Amino acid sequence: MVNWPELESKYYMQTIVRVPVTLMRGEGARVWDDKGKEYLDFVCGLAVNCLGHCHPVIAEALAEQARTLLQTSNWYYTVPQIQLAQLLVENSCLDRVFICNSGLEANEGAVKLARRYGHIKLKGAYEVITTMQSFHGRSLALTAASGYPSMHKPYVPLPVGFINVANNDIEAIKSATTEKTCAVMLEPVQGEGGVNVPDEDYLKKVREWCDRKGILLILDEIQTGVGRLGALWGYELYGVEPDIMTLAKGLGGGIPIGALLAKEKAAVFAPGDHNSTFGGNPVTSAAACAVLKYVIDNDIAGNVKKVGQYLMEGLEELKKKHSFITEVRGRGFLVAMEFNSDIAQDVLMACLEKGLLVNKVKPNAVRLVPPLIIGSKEVDRAIGILDKALSGIVR
Ligand SMILES: Cc1ncc(COP(=O)(O)O)c(C=O)c1O
């Protein structure tokens, strides 16, 4: 039998701390490793496989488009790209779309757009205010945007123009705003930072402040968009509309794609300002169209709202039973369980052994981001495995 981790350690750059399992195949909410062992997948490509693994709707859209037209330059019009843009606009509060290949690219586009806006409408303002514990991507600029000093350190000097302020603190945003500020960029719920849910009125206060100052509100919905929080877009839950929104992860259901959306007033790119070789490629766009249509037509966000509540109740029961769980938090299918010590890796390994994939989001917290299509049966199974795993943890 091939030892895949050994081969990986020989050939792959050693930049990823991996979970010791080689996944070979997936179907729905389940995956199988190279020894044929089955796992319930509550990581789902890190909040990506919203329809589960290998959903026929995605597989068929990909196969059909692969037989028809794989790639053209963006110098030409292609139908899936235009259809995806139309679908996004008709089902959100935004007016215009640019399609790219990842979350990072969507956020780079958002920052560039905000700077163009600053140059054109705000006397050259270029600074973007972001929050601590935010994660926006791994380019140099987005490393600076992300609120992790430890992430900044290995790559200094970083691009200027990003101010990281305290999370969930409107006064911190107000204090950091100057005549140089062109935008505030936030995740509706911070994902990589540990699933940090803001106060109910935080986003509304930020929206009001941005309006008062004439600056843009960028919502990074790369993790929260496409139904994950129990609404199609996270902003709906907080009663605000962003000027710019970025998407990736769930948009392709497993196909690499990102999107930058903007209100008409903020869509200030002129011809030649921005482009991408692969962005809006016919194949990825066709897959994303299929995903988005499925999510909308089947009210997948409604399922997340209902089953997400059930998941949260199950986790609360576990909290009552295992006193070292200090908090369960989240919205919809973006949830975390925090412990009173750094045992997340032990919990992850115990779950793995018992057939459940979870993500260590912090040394003392695990994150659950299951596919959006699961029901109470899968939740019961996950809670049962978690219970057994937690019962065996030696602290
Ligand atoms: C909120 C958020 N923004 C941006 C990104 C970066 O996306 P990508 O990894 O596709 O570049 C991520 C990835 O985890 C994310 O969660």
Side-chain angles (χ1 to χ4, degrees):
M1 199 171 169
V2 180
N3 185 332
W4 295 108
E6 198 175 279
L7 277 188
E8 190 266 6
S9 70
K10 186 168 170 200
Y11 295 117
Y12 209 78
M13 279 199 200
Q14 294 298 290
T15 178
I16 304 161
V17 182
R18 298 191 201 255
V19 175
V21 63
T22 305
L23 300 176
M24 306 298 277
R25 182 167 75 81
E27 189 185 320
R30 295 174 303 163
V31 285
W32 287 264
D33 72 10
D34 55 348
K35 295 170 193 77
K37 181 173 167 182
E38 181 185 315
Y39 303 84
L40 183 59
D41 186 359
F42 269 40
V43 176
C44 89
L46 255 194
V48 169
N49 305 111
C50 55
L51 305 186
H53 291 276
C54 305
H55 196 288
V57 149
I58 305 177
E60 275 154 31
L62 282 172
E64 172 69 20
Q65 190 57 46
R67 280 192 292 265
T68 309
L69 186 67
L70 276 176
Q71 159 76 7
T72 71
S73 162
N74 272 325
W75 301 132
Y76 310 102
Y77 298 96
T78 51
V79 175
Q81 182 184 98
I82 300 165
Q83 286 176 333
L84 178 58
Q86 183 178 8
L87 204 53
L88 284 165
V89 167
E90 288 180 352
N91 289 283
S92 75
C93 69
L94 290 310
D95 303 311
R96 288 192 180 272
V97 179
F98 177 83
I99 304 170
C100 53
N101 310 290
S102 66
L104 178 162
E105 284 177 53
N107 281 342
E108 281 280 341
V111 170
K112 281 177 75 179
L113 188 59
R115 283 200 180 183
R116 285 299 290 138
Y117 188 87
H119 286 196
I120 296 165
K121 306 210 173 166
L122 300 172
K123 301 188 183 135
Y126 63 92
E127 276 181 1
V128 177
I129 298 173
T130 66
T131 57
M132 298 305 288
Q133 291 91 44
S134 64
F135 180 76
H136 297 294
R138 294 186 184 275
S139 65
L140 285 172
L142 295 170
T143 294
S146 298
Y148 280 99
S150 60
M151 226 176 114
H152 299 176
K153 236 176 167 181
Y155 302 106
V156 289
L158 290 174
V160 296
F162 298 95
I163 312 290
N164 310 134
V165 303
N167 184 36
N168 194 26
D169 181 347
I170 182 64
E171 294 309 319
I173 289 178
K174 287 183 179 174
S175 308
T177 306
T178 68
E179 72 286 349
K180 290 193 218 146
T181 311
C182 65
V184 176
M185 177 155 83
L186 304 171
E187 297 161 76
V189 172
Q190 289 184 339
E192 302 305 299
V195 185
N196 304 316
V197 182
D199 294 342
E200 278 300 313
D201 59 353
Y202 172 61
L203 283 184
K204 260 199 184 135
K205 286 180 180 163
V206 178
R207 176 72 273 178
E208 279 161 21
W209 178 250
C210 289
D211 288 342
R212 200 150 118 205
K213 294 312 228 183
I215 59 180
L216 299 176
L217 174 60
I218 305 170
L219 287 185
D220 174 345
E221 293 237 23
I222 282 160
Q223 189 151 163
T224 55
V226 197
R228 181 142 301 273
L229 299 187
L232 190 55
W233 317 115
Y235 68 75
E236 295 173 67
L237 295 173
Y238 292 100
V240 298
E241 292 191 355
D243 302 302
I244 297 176
M245 173 168 82
T246 53
L247 301 173
K249 292 196 182 269
L251 181 61
I255 304 308
I257 190 165
L260 161 66
L261 288 80
K263 292 261 193 195
E264 193 65 56
K265 76 156 190 183
V268 293
F269 279 152
D273 278 354
H274 196 58
N275 202 349
S276 160
T277 298
F278 292 118
N281 162 288
V283 178
T284 53
S285 296
C289 272
V291 170
L292 204 52
K293 271 195 204 134
Y294 189 93
V295 167
I296 293 165
D297 293 349
N298 295 280
D299 188 23
I300 296 297
N303 182 62
V304 173
K305 191 172 172 200
K306 191 173 80 200
V307 186
Q309 182 62 34
Y310 186 68
L311 172 63
M312 198 52 104
E313 284 162 17
L315 294 173
E316 289 289 355
E317 285 302 313
L318 289 181
K319 179 168 174 271
K320 280 188 207 145
K321 184 167 170 190
H322 303 279
S323 60
F324 55 93
I325 302 173
T326 51
E327 193 184 8
V328 291
R329 57 175 181 263
R331 286 195 86 145
F333 278 168
L334 176 55
V335 301
M337 178 186 267
E338 191 155 310
F339 311 108
N340 65 3
S341 61
D342 291 350
I343 56 166
Q345 182 66 18
D346 299 338
V347 173
L348 180 156
M349 291 304 291
C351 287
L352 185 72
E353 199 255 314
K354 291 172 175 34
L356 174 69
L357 302 185
V358 300
N359 164 249
K360 180 177 94 174
V361 71
K362 282 167 50 171
N364 66 339
V366 293
R367 174 175 41 170
L368 308 177
V369 274
L372 309 186
I373 47 156
I374 62 162
S376 54
K377 209 168 81 201
E378 287 87 355
V379 169
D380 288 343
R381 205 169 135 211
I383 296 288
I385 296 176
L386 269 167
D387 190 14
K388 283 198 193 108
L390 293 165
S391 300
I393 297 293
V394 181
R395 292 170 311 115

